[in-house]
Amino acid sequence: MDEEAPDLSISGERLFYIIMKAREFDEKVAPGEMDEGSNPSDDNSVSILEDYADDPTLQELQTALDDLNVDAQLDLLALMWFGRGDTDSFAEARVQAADTTDKHIPGYLIGTPQLSDYLEEALSQLGISVTEFGEGHL
């Protein structure tokens, strides 16, 4: 079900950046999920995929989300819910996002598995493509 693209409070460039950082973060392997038979000398530096408190990808994603104003954070939350199929429309998701009492949106978004997939799905349903913003960055 495609609907008319809304005016988002977040730029396409910023949205592209957040999706890329969320994708990088989603692809990481959580500590303890590493293959116990891994050998550091032949694992091709796979430890870089483990999540650590000082993980630069997490820090970059957190900073990008924290730097957004409240309206942009609410737009992202609504996009995630809409892309996940929690609502029938972006407009409905945006109303629900505005009514949320939990204002720790960056942490909630980071803690959502497949965040980048949900954001991309929502944008696809809205007819918005952010790939043009990343053409010079990929």
Side-chain angles (χ1 to χ4, degrees), residues 26-109:
D26 285 344
E27 291 175 355
K28 290 179 173 277
V29 177
E33 290 183 12
M34 299 293 293
D35 181 6
E36 292 182 21
S38 179
N39 180 339
S41 65
D42 67 0
D43 68 2
N44 296 321
S45 300
V46 77
S47 64
I48 198 166
L49 295 175
E50 292 186 38
D51 294 325
Y52 294 102
D54 61 348
D55 175 31
T57 301
L58 173 60
Q59 291 174 356
E60 291 167 353
L61 179 57
Q62 181 75 51
T63 299
L65 294 173
D66 286 341
D67 287 349
L68 296 175
N69 65 36
V70 173
D71 285 332
Q73 288 181 4
L74 293 174
D75 281 350
L76 275 179
L77 181 60
L79 285 169
M80 191 272 297
W81 284 341
F82 179 54
R84 191 168 65 183
D86 294 351
T87 62
D88 293 329
S89 71
F90 174 78
E92 179 184 340
R94 187 58 173 84
V95 168
Q96 289 178 4
D99 289 342
T100 188
T101 57
D102 181 9
K103 297 301 180 188
H104 301 286
I105 296 170
Y108 176 74
L109 290 171

Side-chain angles (χ1 to χ4, degrees), residues 6-19 64 68-69 71-73 75-76 79 123 128-134:
D7 286 330
L8 298 174
S9 300
I10 183 170
S11 71
E13 291 87 0
R14 179 65 60 104
L15 195 49
F16 176 81
Y17 179 80
I18 289 171
I19 289 171
L68 296 175
N69 65 36
D71 285 332
Q73 288 181 4
D75 281 350
L76 275 179
L79 285 169
L123 293 171
I128 299 172
S129 172
V130 295
T131 56
E132 65 192 62
F133 299 110

